[in-house]
Amino acid sequence: MKEKVSKTFDAKRRFSVDELQTELKREQRKRQYSSTTRNTIYVLIVVAAIAILIATLWMPVLRIYGTSMTPTLTEGDMVLSLRGADFETGDIIAFYYENKLLVKRCIAGPGAWVDIDKEGNVFVNGELIDEPYLEEKAYGDVTIQFPYQVPEGRYFVLGDHRATSADSRLSIIGCVAEEQIVGKIVFRVLPVSNFSRVE
């Protein structure tokens, strides 16, 4: 009888130990899963924060409004800009004007002389500039006197749709100050079908 009781007790004890080990393993897996999930969330938050920081400080993503840059950029395009202060003739830049974000093409930098004839040909320091990005040249709305010298610390800008673009030809907009500039447009990212370098 004692032997039977002892065997039953041993079986119960073994069963209990097996159950405990199984439960312990389950708890360890649960803890490991929780830890992995928590670490993954932390990593995702850090990556998102870094991406937002990069986008804000160095490479802002902007949306195009209006038609002043057609055919190069059209309304609704999403573009990637690169912060910097070294802009050359032909670069497309984004800048703030009266709390609006405008996008135009840089034509001339500080101290340069700009002239536009009645046919819409643009001259910088007396030389005709090549503008293969234009579909059509136009003199457009002009309220400044040509030839015009770009003030120090500023850039003369024009839209690619010259007939309708409001740009540095108008004295109310004038030349763009360096502190107004968000950056140089480098890539169109949306729509995906038109993903390309912007020139």
Side-chain angles (χ1 to χ4, degrees), residues 107-114 148-156 175-176:
I107 298 299
W113 284 92
V114 178
Y148 176 85
Q149 187 173 27
V150 182
E152 282 305 312
R154 294 182 175 265
Y155 291 87
F156 190 93
C175 292
V176 180

Side-chain angles (χ1 to χ4, degrees), residues 18 44 92 105 127 141 166 181 191:
D18 289 345
L44 289 174
I92 299 175
R105 196 173 292 272
E127 290 187 23
D141 288 334
I181 298 174

Side-chain angles (χ1 to χ4, degrees), residues 38-156:
R38 199 169 36 253
N39 289 341
T40 303
I41 289 169
Y42 290 153
V43 168
L44 289 174
I45 289 170
V46 169
V47 168
I50 290 170
I52 290 167
L53 190 65
I54 288 171
T56 305
L57 297 178
W58 294 290
M59 301 182 82
V61 176
L62 311 169
R63 185 183 182 92
I64 301 299
Y65 294 97
T67 59
S68 71
M69 283 303 293
T70 54
T72 310
L73 297 170
T74 55
E75 187 161 21
D77 285 352
M78 296 291 283
V79 294
L80 186 69
S81 63
L82 189 62
R83 289 200 186 273
D86 189 23
F87 306 108
E88 299 175 0
T89 298
D91 288 346
I92 299 175
I93 60 173
F95 60 93
Y96 284 106
Y97 171 74
E98 293 186 351
N99 294 323
K100 291 181 190 169
L101 193 64
L102 301 181
V103 175
K104 306 288 179 188
R105 196 173 292 272
C106 179
I107 298 299
W113 284 92
V114 178
D115 198 3
I116 303 176
D117 66 20
K118 294 299 177 187
E119 285 75 45
N121 294 305
V122 180
F123 300 83
V124 175
N125 295 326
E127 290 187 23
L128 176 67
I129 64 169
D130 182 32
E131 298 189 282
Y133 39 79
L134 295 182
E135 279 189 346
E136 183 181 346
K137 293 182 178 183
Y139 187 67
D141 288 334
V142 177
T143 60
I144 61 170
Q145 188 73 42
F146 287 117
Y148 176 85
Q149 187 173 27
V150 182
E152 282 305 312
R154 294 182 175 265
Y155 291 87
F156 190 93

Side-chain angles (χ1 to χ4, degrees), residues 157-194:
V157 297
L158 295 173
D160 285 359
H161 195 259
R162 298 283 160 83
T164 61
S165 176
D167 44 43
S168 293
R169 294 172 293 181
L170 298 172
S171 57
I172 58 164
I173 294 177
C175 292
V176 180
E178 286 178 0
E179 56 269 19
Q180 291 174 265
I181 298 174
V182 174
K184 173 183 170 180
I185 306 298
V186 288
F187 280 103
R188 178 188 0 249
V189 291
L190 288 175
V192 175
S193 57
N194 289 339

